[in-house]
Amino acid sequence: MTDSGPAPLPTADRLDIAARLRDALLAASFTADGLLDLLGAPAYAALARSETVPALRATRGDTPLETLVRLFLLQQPVPHARVAAVLPVEEAVEAGWLRGVGGDEVAATVDVRPYGGPGGEDWFIVSDLGCAVGGAGGIGQRDEGVVLGVGGASTTLAGITVRTPVAAALDLGTGSGIQALHAAQHATRVTATDLNPRALHITALTLALSGAPAADLREGSLFEPVRDDETFDLIVSNPPFVISPRARLTYRDGGMGGDDLCRSLVQQAGERLNEGGFAQFLANWQHVAGEDWQDRLRSWVPRGCDAWIVQREVQDVTQYAELWLRDAGDHRGDPAEYQARYDAWLDEFEARKVRAVGFGWITLRRTGSAEPVVTVEEWPHPVEQPLGETIRAHFERLDYLREHDDAALLDSRFKLVPEVVQEQVGLPGAEDPEHVVLRQHRGMRRATKVDTVGAGFAGVCDGTLSAGRILDAIAQLVGEDPVVLRDRTPAQIRLLVEQGFLEPAG
């Protein structure tokens, strides 16, 4: 980057050249798998930490793949003759993907990062120079208006998104276009918005170079470019959610006070969703003194929507400020300026009585139910991505539980979800365990305590007997009144269904 701002971008209207470049990249195995084979796991992982030295050492040869890695991932000038043996170099220069430097070398004008799609697709994510590897890892000072590549937040959102075929999808704040690229695989029509026109240009490049259909690209903040009569089956957004003293960097700072941007985004999404449609976001939210953070988030949920909100991480205000100061590279600059910016961040939090900041996922689903269900929970534990199917199934189970009162529940048959194990916890040699834990090994990887009746019930759920008949058999075994057991057990069954340990058998 230079003081004059980000460099000129390749033209987005030469699809023929983008297609030829794509063919050449694939022919050289410039793919996610090809990179891992070439670099090895340590150097490949180092790139995600913004460390390029191991990759530079691994690409000292002159193979086509090494040439492309040095050119597009490591941003090193490469002799013209070497590039010409791999790419249509003259057309690439003409279209702005490459530029001449020195006497006989060429350099890339954008980062191009191989990215593996969920179905084994070979995609390419375009971003500004120095912004692809490591996400926003603090590679020097960030210029206003730059467009980042794939970071942890991007892949998290892509992993949690529900991937059912839909007619219309909306990507708010598209950035480099990764969410639009995913949506194009299962949506007939994709609309992508961004306040930064450079991001829309780069999204067009990402889609073209990945061989994906073009999206309807619209400039503007969040829902502003969307017509009043437009609704969608899927809305996704990795918004500029950072809670900062001022909107300094477009790609991360929302420009509204506190967590107002995330709140507004969630509240406005409800009226933009078709019946049964999903809206899924990453967000930050404030933990304010004297206020329950869960109540704060419940107040965001629009009418007519079920919601599942998961807090994945909490940072105190000092940790939070330091994280994002490093993101911008401020820790590398003038110490006095760094201290002033740190002070300004803490002043902002103190004025708002903010003690910590939470990060997590918000999923809304438009429902026709008169009694929407809002679940807000903290789950900092490891999960298994992708989670889109887990999230879709969660809302299906909500519908099931809403439609079945306790009597209907006892008449229903259930199956224990595959890969759930039972653990008995107690002192060695004890006749009975202190408690029993059911543990999932897929999806959210939950663990829940159950009593002996709950454990016995779950253990025999294979879809053949109704819940009521199973409880009657358990009552006979333990010498308990079956009427009492039928009366007190449905709440435990509901919990096991809601959390995904049991599923209806039909």
Side-chain angles (χ1 to χ4, degrees):
M1 304 297 171
T2 66
D3 292 339
S4 59
L9 293 172
T11 179
D13 57 6
R14 290 297 305 272
L15 297 181
D16 57 329
I17 294 179
R20 290 190 63 192
L21 280 175
R22 172 177 172 78
D23 289 343
L25 297 178
L26 293 176
S29 297
F30 187 64
T31 64
D33 289 341
L35 284 183
L36 184 58
D37 290 341
L38 171 68
L39 302 179
Y44 191 78
L47 281 178
R49 302 191 300 270
S50 308
E51 297 291 348
T52 59
V53 172
L56 286 168
R57 291 173 61 86
T59 56
R60 288 178 290 192
D62 58 0
T63 66
L65 181 53
E66 288 170 298
T67 297
L68 294 175
V69 171
R70 293 183 75 87
L71 185 67
F72 285 117
L73 273 186
L74 303 177
Q75 286 95 60
Q76 299 296 305
V78 179
H80 185 285
R82 282 183 58 186
V83 178
V86 185
L87 299 176
V89 66
E90 301 305 332
E91 292 93 332
V93 170
E94 174 193 350
W97 292 91
L98 303 175
R99 61 185 179 88
V101 294
D104 62 349
E105 292 183 319
V106 294
T109 59
V110 287
D111 273 272
V112 176
R113 173 174 169 170
Y115 178 82
E121 302 92 346
D122 289 315
W123 292 338
F124 301 98
I125 309 300
V126 179
S127 63
D128 271 311
L129 292 173
C131 297
V133 294
I139 313 174
Q141 188 77 19
R142 296 292 181 188
D143 288 332
E144 170 69 15
V146 299
V147 179
L148 300 187
V150 180
S154 301
T155 55
T156 294
L157 179 59
I160 68 172
T161 300
V162 175
R163 300 294 176 194
T164 53
V166 296
L170 174 63
D171 176 15
L172 292 173
T174 188
S176 61
I178 180 175
Q179 309 305 332
L181 179 57
H182 276 278
Q185 311 309 303
H186 62 101
T188 304
R189 176 172 57 87
V190 177
T191 301
T193 73
D194 205 289
L195 181 64
N196 182 2
R198 189 175 183 86
L200 297 176
H201 191 134
I202 283 181
T203 291
L205 297 176
T206 289
L207 294 173
L209 198 59
S210 299
D216 180 3
L217 305 177
R218 304 182 192 177
E219 182 179 345
S221 178
L222 303 178
F223 286 106
E224 287 178 5
V226 179
R227 298 192 307 271
D228 290 342
D229 61 346
E230 283 186 289
T231 55
F232 301 88
D233 307 296
L234 174 66
I235 300 172
V236 293
S237 185
N238 176 20
F241 53 65
V242 176
I243 301 170
S244 58
R246 61 188 182 90
R248 179 177 163 209
L249 297 172
T250 302
Y251 69 83
R252 65 164 209 195
D253 301 322
M256 298 184 186
D259 52 15
D260 284 352
L261 182 136
C262 291
R263 175 185 56 79
S264 298
L265 179 63
V266 173
Q267 290 179 337
Q268 293 173 24
E271 62 186 7
R272 299 294 188 178
L273 282 175
N274 293 324
E275 187 72 20
F278 286 91
Q280 298 186 265
F281 316 105
L282 301 186
N284 275 177
W285 43 79
Q286 298 173 149
H287 285 229
V288 179
E291 177 182 281
D292 186 307
W293 69 270
Q294 294 183 327
D295 289 343
R296 182 182 189 85
L297 289 172
R298 287 189 183 95
S299 73
W300 290 9
V301 177
R303 295 181 61 184
C305 287
D306 292 324
W308 186 14
I309 302 174
V310 182
Q311 179 167 274
R312 295 287 290 156
E313 184 179 1
V314 180
Q315 292 183 317
D316 67 46
V317 292
T318 60
Q319 292 173 313
Y320 190 81
E322 290 163 15
L323 170 68
W324 294 109
L325 287 167
R326 287 181 174 274
D327 165 86
D330 291 334
H331 61 301
R332 304 176 189 271
D334 176 39
E337 188 172 351
Y338 174 82
Q339 182 174 339
R341 285 176 173 163
Y342 200 151
D343 269 334
W345 224 305
L346 296 185
D347 285 344
E348 175 83 3
F349 285 136
E350 185 175 346
R352 294 179 176 274
K353 299 182 180 179
V354 177
R355 300 294 182 260
V357 177
F359 167 81
W361 320 324
I362 298 177
T363 299
L364 307 177
R365 187 192 59 165
R366 189 77 186 176
T367 178
S369 172
E371 298 181 2
V373 176
V374 177
T375 303
V376 184
E377 64 175 319
E378 186 163 18
W379 191 255
H381 312 294
V383 298
E384 183 188 49
Q385 286 276 34
L387 278 169
E389 179 59 23
T390 298
I391 290 174
R392 185 200 61 77
H394 168 85
F395 287 93
E396 280 199 351
R397 293 193 300 270
L398 289 186
D399 287 340
Y400 178 87
L401 292 172
R402 256 194 301 244
E403 295 165 0
H404 289 73
D405 60 16
D406 285 356
L409 204 67
L410 293 174
D411 284 338
S412 301
R413 293 174 290 113
F414 298 94
K415 292 189 299 183
L416 188 65
V417 172
E419 299 196 41
V420 171
V421 298
Q422 177 179 303
E423 301 172 358
Q424 295 187 354
V425 180
L427 294 174
E431 183 176 346
D432 296 312
E434 293 178 9
H435 59 265
V436 177
V437 174
L438 298 180
R439 187 179 302 278
Q440 300 168 350
H441 282 279
R442 305 297 300 271
M444 292 293 287
R445 294 179 174 169
R446 294 187 185 278
T448 187
K449 289 183 182 180
V450 291
D451 59 21
T452 53
V453 170
F457 177 85
V460 297
C461 279
D462 60 3
T464 58
L465 297 176
S466 70
R469 289 186 63 186
I470 292 174
L471 290 178
D472 290 343
I474 292 175
Q476 187 173 4
L477 285 173
V478 300
E480 189 168 342
D481 185 338
V483 175
V484 173
L485 197 60
R486 278 174 170 257
D487 185 58
R488 69 177 176 86
T489 307
Q492 191 169 188
I493 296 174
R494 287 185 181 278
L495 180 64
L496 292 175
V497 172
E498 180 183 346
Q499 294 191 342
F501 290 93
L502 296 176
E503 60 184 8

